[in-house]
Each structure stands twice: as structure tokens, then as C-alpha cells.
């Protein structure tokens, strides 16, 4: 009798849960099977970046593939992607990790840089103007065991420079203006030996230049730009120290409380740092580039391992929500690594609540990266999910009736 009551109670709860979910309108639909060359995107993707390679007004995708040639997906204008890698980009099998996109040589089209980890061979591909690329790897003046790259104009001279996150000293490459780079690390970056997993640029103090957030294994850093691309470490003054060790895989800037300044999320794991605290962190900017840790009051508690975290307006209400790629495995190379994607909706004031119904139930996998862009040209944000040990996924935002 007790077992029967328990079963009935469980079924009632499940029914209530389904009924509750049915009251919400789905915000995304899974179009992976119809819009991606799915068999080409299995078990290898580390990072992706939207890029209009051919100047036709729609967004294509460059996908970094670990230990195999990278993949270039060309958009037909409505979000159907074809794998045109062999015809368009040199096919090199490297340990590709992270992607940067910019017009490096200032010729009016977008070029690609990709950093590599194990083989210490970074990649640079210059666009020929027609969406095909030439290998310009000889323009890198440095190498390293690299996991992160950020490309932007850090010295205010109008051309994009390159920051590289390494296991060891990070690097800064200054652009001559024509897509050739010089090593400015010694003169422009503090001498620090870190294990860097992510680099993010943003103006955190409102002075008009880009500052640098460094996501590390063990201690994250905030480097302040003097306006000329010279960075100084002001982490102790500006970032709250965590009670316990921290291993951050991804960081992101975003104005979550709509007060006009950039806040921070840290996506945390415990893969390599012993006794690292897995809970993700949300740091709120006071307007001058100093941050307080408001995780406990603004972010759901989370004991999983978060490999990626991105601020994205999922529900089109004008504030930034949060998408997380999470793991329950003990190491990122484990064959048992199983990931899930979580969505937290912003209430408009920077307080986040878990909302599982945002993504289709089919969106599961071993996610390492989430990219948001309007791929099908309907005015709604779409999402591309990179999977390191599974299939990549593509979902389109639903255009809701007003």
C-alpha cells in the first residue's frame, strides 16, 4: 500500500511538473538535424565564432577542432550551414583551443586567429576577400602553451591587437596596422606566471579603453589599461578574494543590473586545482571598476563543474540572462564526461533564477562553448553549442507573437 501511494504521488508530481512546463512558451527550437552537417561535428569541437567570411550579410561559423583540421561552416542566409572547410581554409591538424576574429590587416574583411595548447603552434588565417583564407602563421612572433585569445584594439590606434592566455606568462602582440605583429609583452604586461584559461576585454572603469579580465587556475586577475595598451595588475584593489581556491574556465562581462557598468561572472570547475570551490561567482561593479561578490543573493547554488558561462538575452526582455555548460565529471578528459546546459533568467535587477524550459530537451551533450547570434536573419538570438565529446547543436530563437 505504501509503495502504491508513493508511485501515485510521484506520478502526480510529474504531471504537475509537465503541466507547469506547458504553461510556458518554448523560446528555442532544435534545428541541428536539418541545419548542420552533423556527422562532421562530432566529438572534437572546442570553440566557435560567428564570422561573415564572404561579406554577404549573414553569419558563418569557424569551429576550432582539437587535434584535427578546423571546420568552416558557410551559411546560406537562413541558417543552413554547409561544411566548406577544405575549399576555403588551410587544413592543419593542431590542438586548436580558442578563436579570435577581426580585420587584422585592415583590408575590409574578417580574418581568424586560433591558439593551440599541446603543440604550441598558433594559427593565423588572412581572408582573401572572397571567404577563402591564406595561412599567415609566420606572423606570430611568439609561441606558448595557449588556451585563450582576445583580439581588439587595446592601444587606441585603430587596429586590432592580440592577447594570448598561456600556461606561464601571457602575451600581448601589437599590430603594425597591416596585420604584422610585434611582441609587446615585456613592456605592456605585468610579469606573472599563471595558468590562464580565458581572456575577456571590457571597459570596467568607464575611461574609454579596454581592460583585461584573466580567468585562471587558482587566482583570477583584473588588469587595468592606461589607454595606450599598457596593463597593470589591480586585482587586489578591485576583485574580491574568494574564501577558498578557485579554478575558472570561463569569464564574461555584462551589465546584469542595468546600471550602465560591466559586471562579471566566473564559470568554475575543480579539474586541476585541488579543493577548488565549484560554485560559480557573480561580481557586481560599483561603477568605478571595483567589484563585490554578490553570488549568494543573486546566483543559484551550483555544485557542478561549469566549463562555460555567457550573458545572453534569452527571452528578449532587454536584460542579460545566463547560459551555462556544466559537467559532473572529475576531469575534462574523462570518457564519462557528461554535460548539461542550464539557463538562468534575469529578473531585471541582476537576480537569476533557474529556468529549464528555455532550451529544448534535446539540447544535451559535452558542451565547451556557447555562441549567440542571429544565424537565420529573423531578428531573434540563436545559439550554437560546441561539444568536445558529442555532437554540436544549433537552436533557433522562436519569434513570439506580441
Amino acid at each position: 500500500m505504501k509503495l502504491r501511494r508513493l508511485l501515485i504521488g510521484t506520478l502526480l508530481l510529474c504531471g504537475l511538473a509537465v503541466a507547469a512546463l506547458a504553461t510556458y512558451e518554448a523560446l528555442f527550437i532544435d534545428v541541428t538535424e536539418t541545419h548542420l552537417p552533423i556527422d562532421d561535428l562530432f566529438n572534437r569541437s572546442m570553440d566557435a565564432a560567428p564570422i561573415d567570411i564572404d561579406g554577404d550579410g549573414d553569419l558563418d561559423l569557424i569551429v576550432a577542432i582539437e587535434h584535427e583540421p578546423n571546420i568552416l561552416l558557410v551559411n546560406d542566409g537562413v541558417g543552413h550551414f554547409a561544411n566548406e572547410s577544405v575549399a576555403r581554409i588551410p587544413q592543419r591538424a593542431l590542438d586548436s583551443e580558442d578563436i579570435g576574429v577581426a580585420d587584422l590587416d585592415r583590408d575590409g574583411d574578417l580574418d581568424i586567429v586560433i591558439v593551440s595548447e599541446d603543440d604550441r603552434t598558433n594559427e593565423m588565417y588572412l581572408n582573401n576577400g572572397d571567404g577563402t583564407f591564406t595561412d599567415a602563421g609566420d606572423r606570430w612572433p611568439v609561441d606558448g602553451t595557449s588556451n585563450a585569445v582576445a583580439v581588439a584594439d587595446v592601444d587606441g590606434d585603430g587596429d586590432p591587437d592580440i592577447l594570448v592566455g598561456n600556461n606561464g606568462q601571457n602575451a600581448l602582440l601589437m599590430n603594425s596596422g597591416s596585420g604584422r605583429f610585434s611582441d609587446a609583452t615585456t613592456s605592456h604586461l605585468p610579469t606573472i606566471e599563471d595558468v590562464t584559461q580565458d581572456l575577456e576585454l571590457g571597459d570596467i572603469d568607464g575611461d574609454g579603453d579596454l581592460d583585461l579580465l584573466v580567468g585562471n587556475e587558482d587566482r583570477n586577475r583584473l588588469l587595468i589599461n592606461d589607454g595606450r595598451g599598457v596593463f597593470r595588475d589591480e586585482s587586489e584593489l578591485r576583485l574580491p578574494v574568494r574564501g577558498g581556491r578557485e579554478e575558472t574556465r570561463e569569464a564574461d562581462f555584462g551589465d546584469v543590473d542595468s546600471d550602465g557598468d560591466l559586471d562579471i561572472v566566473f564559470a568554475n570547475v575543480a579539474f586541476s586545482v585541488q579543493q577548488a570551490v565549484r560554485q560559480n561567482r557573480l561580481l557586481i561593479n560599483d561603477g568605478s571598476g571595483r567589484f563585490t561578490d554578490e553570488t549568494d543573493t543573486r546566483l543559484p547554488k551550483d555544485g557542478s563543474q561549469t566549463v562555460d558561462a555567457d550573458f545572453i538575452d534569452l527571452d528578449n526582455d532587454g536584460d542579460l540572462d545566463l547560459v551555462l555548460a556544466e559537467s559532473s565529471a572529475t576531469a575534462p578528459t574523462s570518457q564519462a564526461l557528461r554535460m548539461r546546459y542550464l539557463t538562468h533568467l534575469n529578473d531585471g535587477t541582476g537576480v537569476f533564477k533557474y529556468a529549464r524550459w528555455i532550451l529544448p530537451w534535446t539540447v544535451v551533450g559535452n558542451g565547451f562553448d556557447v555562441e549567440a547570434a542571429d544565424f537565420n536573419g529573423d531578428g531573434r538570438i540563436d545559439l550554437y553549442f560546441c561539444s568536445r565529446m558529442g555532437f554540436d547543436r544549433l537552436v533557433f530563437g522562436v519569434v513570439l507573437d506580441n
Side-chain angles (χ1 to χ4, degrees):
M1 183 63 71
K2 289 183 179 179
L3 178 60
R4 183 182 177 186
R5 289 195 189 115
L6 178 61
L7 289 172
I8 291 172
T10 302
L11 289 171
L12 286 173
L13 287 173
C14 290
L16 288 172
V18 170
L21 286 173
T23 64
Y24 295 101
E25 292 185 88
L27 297 188
F28 293 88
I29 57 172
D30 189 345
V31 297
T32 303
E33 300 294 336
T34 56
H35 287 67
L36 287 183
I38 186 66
D39 290 339
D40 297 336
L41 296 163
F42 173 70
N43 208 29
R44 301 164 294 168
S45 302
M46 299 295 291
D47 187 37
I51 172 176
D52 182 2
I53 63 165
D54 44 12
D56 62 355
D58 57 49
L59 289 172
D60 312 297
L61 278 162
I62 176 68
V63 185
I65 307 297
E66 188 178 44
H67 298 303
E68 295 189 31
N70 300 311
I71 291 177
L72 192 57
L73 301 177
V74 178
N75 193 339
D76 69 352
V78 292
H80 294 95
F81 289 90
N83 183 355
E84 299 187 9
S85 310
V86 173
R88 291 183 179 268
I89 195 166
Q91 296 293 280
R92 305 179 67 194
L94 298 169
D95 186 18
S96 302
E97 297 286 336
D98 199 27
I99 300 170
V101 169
D103 183 4
L104 299 175
D105 50 6
R106 301 178 71 179
D107 64 351
D109 51 44
L110 292 173
D111 310 301
I112 297 168
V113 293
I114 303 175
V115 294
S116 301
E117 185 180 16
D118 293 344
D119 47 36
R120 299 172 63 94
T121 304
N122 296 324
E123 304 164 71
M124 183 180 297
Y125 301 110
L126 297 181
N127 197 325
N128 298 315
D130 59 358
T132 65
F133 293 83
T134 298
D135 190 343
D138 60 345
R139 299 192 182 201
W140 284 92
V142 300
D143 67 0
T145 302
S146 308
N147 272 296
V149 66
V151 184
D153 179 12
V154 300
D155 57 355
D157 65 353
D159 54 47
D161 310 299
I162 301 174
L163 284 147
V164 183
N166 293 322
N167 184 344
Q169 173 68 46
N170 294 332
L172 173 58
L173 311 182
M174 286 299 190
N175 196 333
S176 67
S178 62
R180 296 193 176 273
F181 296 84
S182 59
D183 183 3
T185 302
T186 301
S187 58
H188 286 65
L189 288 184
T191 302
I192 304 172
E193 296 282 325
D194 283 325
V195 181
T196 297
Q197 295 291 340
D198 191 36
L199 298 172
E200 296 292 332
L201 289 162
D203 183 6
I204 62 106
D205 50 6
D207 64 354
D209 55 44
L210 294 173
D211 308 301
L212 180 62
L213 183 63
V214 185
N216 289 324
E217 293 183 6
D218 204 12
R219 182 182 178 186
N220 299 320
R221 299 186 187 275
L222 188 55
L223 308 185
I224 302 302
N225 192 340
D226 70 353
R228 300 167 297 162
V230 177
F231 292 87
R232 61 185 180 274
D233 186 2
E234 296 192 4
S235 307
E236 291 188 6
L237 295 174
R238 297 178 181 270
L239 288 183
V241 177
R242 165 159 246 174
R245 304 182 74 186
E246 187 166 36
E247 181 183 351
T248 295
R249 277 292 170 130
E250 185 80 13
D252 201 13
F253 282 124
D255 181 8
V256 302
D257 50 3
S258 302
D259 63 353
D261 53 45
L262 292 177
D263 309 301
I264 294 171
V265 64
F266 288 134
N268 291 327
V269 298
F271 290 152
S272 303
V273 177
Q274 290 186 350
Q275 298 180 332
V277 180
R278 296 182 183 181
Q279 173 66 45
N280 303 318
R281 280 210 292 167
L282 184 63
L283 309 183
I284 301 299
N285 194 334
D286 70 356
S288 67
R290 295 172 186 265
F291 295 83
T292 57
D293 189 335
E294 300 189 15
T295 302
D296 290 345
T297 57
R298 293 178 180 267
L299 205 61
K301 293 190 181 302
D302 193 340
S304 295
Q305 315 238 45
T306 307
V307 180
D308 190 25
D310 294 279
F311 288 126
I312 301 165
D313 184 2
L314 297 171
D315 52 0
N316 205 31
D317 65 352
D319 57 44
L320 291 174
D321 309 302
L322 191 58
V323 180
L324 308 175
E326 298 205 330
S327 165
S328 59
T330 57
T333 57
S334 169
Q335 291 301 311
L337 180 70
R338 298 307 304 165
M339 303 287 292
R340 57 181 178 160
Y341 297 102
L342 298 185
T343 50
H344 298 325
L345 289 185
N346 191 338
D347 70 354
T349 67
V351 176
F352 294 85
K353 292 187 177 180
Y354 174 52
R356 176 62 184 90
W357 51 272
I358 298 295
L359 295 176
W361 291 97
T362 51
V363 180
V364 294
N366 309 306
F368 261 54
D369 182 52
V370 182
E371 293 296 327
D374 181 8
F375 292 116
N376 60 355
D378 66 355
R380 279 282 286 131
I381 286 294
D382 310 310
L383 302 174
Y384 184 90
F385 299 91
C386 280
S387 182
R388 185 175 180 272
M389 289 186 290
F391 289 101
D392 289 7
R393 311 298 298 184
L394 177 65
V395 300
F396 285 168
V398 175
V399 180
L400 302 175
D401 294 331
N402 293 327

